[in-house]
Amino acid sequence: MIDPGSLLRSLSGRATARNFHSHVINEIGAGVISGRFPVGSILPNDAALMDEFSVSRTVLREALKTLEAKGLVEARPKVGTKVAKKSRWNLYDPQVLAWCLEAEPDEEFLAGLWQVRHALEPLAAADAARDRTGDQIRLMHYWLRQMEVALSEPQSFCLADFELHRIIAEAASNPFIRALQGVIELSHALAYRSVIAYELPYDLAPVLQSHRALVTAIERGLTSDAALAMVETIEYDRLQAL
């Protein structure tokens, strides 16, 4: 489990401290996603992995259980730990998505990512326009202000952008839309990583304006306008990611 925004903060290259347990999870999980441990292969035995990562059997076993819960591996009696089929990977898990970013996702993966956002986030915006609370509207305006003051700081801007989308997803009545947090964060990471990592110039003012229109529509209860405004913000992200 990683905290919301951790993937976006990592784009600047700042390393995050890890304990032994999380280190093993990260190394094996990233290895599965990248193909270092190919689908259908059997992981090295416990003794080899314990030696590679300098951890106890208890730490290794707990890490493998976590990876099994994410759908990446499966324990097979008398066989060992097998790398699971891609269809079993939990692509709504933020940590799995972080490994996908690290491994450079292919075109099929990227197409699916944007399709999911286009299909579900406009519904979230419409739901939010209908059901939003006063506190949620205040939070949306707060993150809009954070975007405005960070126009010259892309990493802070993208974090505020993500948080705004996260609040809108939280305001939706559909629990499956609320589960999109990792998908939304990954797409923001894809959109902003070049700007952040290489400090490339980029005019963020139009992005801010599109989000202002989105929040205005939600605040006024305009469901159709909110859905259309959400599509525009997603398109900004998609075009930045190309």
Side-chain angles (χ1 to χ4, degrees):
M1 183 69 178
I2 60 175
D3 294 330
S6 294
L7 177 57
L8 297 176
R9 292 185 185 92
S10 74
L11 295 177
S12 63
R14 291 197 297 269
T16 54
R18 293 191 179 98
N19 58 34
F20 286 118
H21 176 257
S22 61
H23 176 68
V24 175
I25 291 171
N26 187 73
E27 291 300 310
I28 297 177
V32 168
I33 300 296
S34 69
R36 177 190 167 199
F37 301 119
V39 169
S41 67
I42 305 299
L43 293 183
N45 61 35
D46 284 5
L49 291 173
M50 289 161 58
D51 182 61
E52 179 178 351
F53 299 116
S54 300
V55 295
S56 67
R57 188 179 301 275
T58 299
V59 169
L60 176 64
R61 283 295 174 186
E62 287 302 315
L64 291 175
K65 285 180 182 177
T66 299
L67 291 166
E68 189 166 14
K70 295 176 184 294
L72 299 185
V73 301
E74 50 189 345
R76 292 287 184 87
K78 300 181 181 179
V79 174
T81 302
K82 183 179 180 180
V83 178
K85 296 183 293 185
K86 288 185 178 182
S87 59
R88 295 195 58 190
W89 296 359
N90 181 4
L91 294 181
Y92 283 95
D93 183 296
Q95 195 167 27
V96 173
L97 291 172
W99 294 325
C100 289
L101 176 67
E102 186 179 325
E104 293 294 337
D106 58 28
E107 289 186 11
E108 181 181 15
F109 180 96
L110 293 174
L113 179 74
W114 297 112
Q115 285 171 3
V116 167
R117 284 197 68 188
H118 271 291
L120 295 180
E121 275 201 277
L123 294 177
D127 275 3
R130 186 185 63 242
D131 300 328
R132 74 277 185 267
T133 65
D135 283 342
Q136 288 166 338
I137 291 296
R138 281 190 287 275
L139 280 170
M140 291 177 205
H141 279 290
Y142 170 80
W143 290 115
L144 268 182
R145 288 195 297 274
Q146 295 308 304
M147 292 172 71
E148 185 173 10
V149 300
L151 282 169
S152 60
E153 300 172 9
Q155 183 164 20
S156 296
F157 186 95
C158 81
L159 280 164
D161 184 344
F162 162 63
E163 289 292 348
L164 175 55
H165 282 262
R166 193 162 73 92
I167 293 300
I168 293 170
E170 284 290 325
S173 56
N174 188 326
F176 293 97
I177 292 176
R178 293 175 191 153
L180 281 178
Q181 174 181 296
V183 171
I184 295 170
E185 184 169 4
L186 175 61
S187 63
H188 278 72
L190 289 165
Y192 287 98
R193 63 177 174 175
S194 294
V195 179
I196 293 170
Y198 303 110
E199 299 182 348
L200 300 177
Y202 191 85
D203 183 9
L204 295 171
V207 182
L208 173 62
Q209 187 56 41
S210 70
H211 285 77
R212 278 199 183 118
L214 172 60
V215 172
T216 297
I218 291 173
E219 185 172 20
R220 293 178 178 175
L222 305 174
T223 56
S224 296
D225 288 356
L228 289 173
M230 178 62 83
V231 170
E232 184 176 349
T233 70
I234 295 169
E235 275 301 290
Y236 270 114
D237 288 347
R238 188 183 67 82
L239 292 173
Q240 281 178 240
L242 293 177

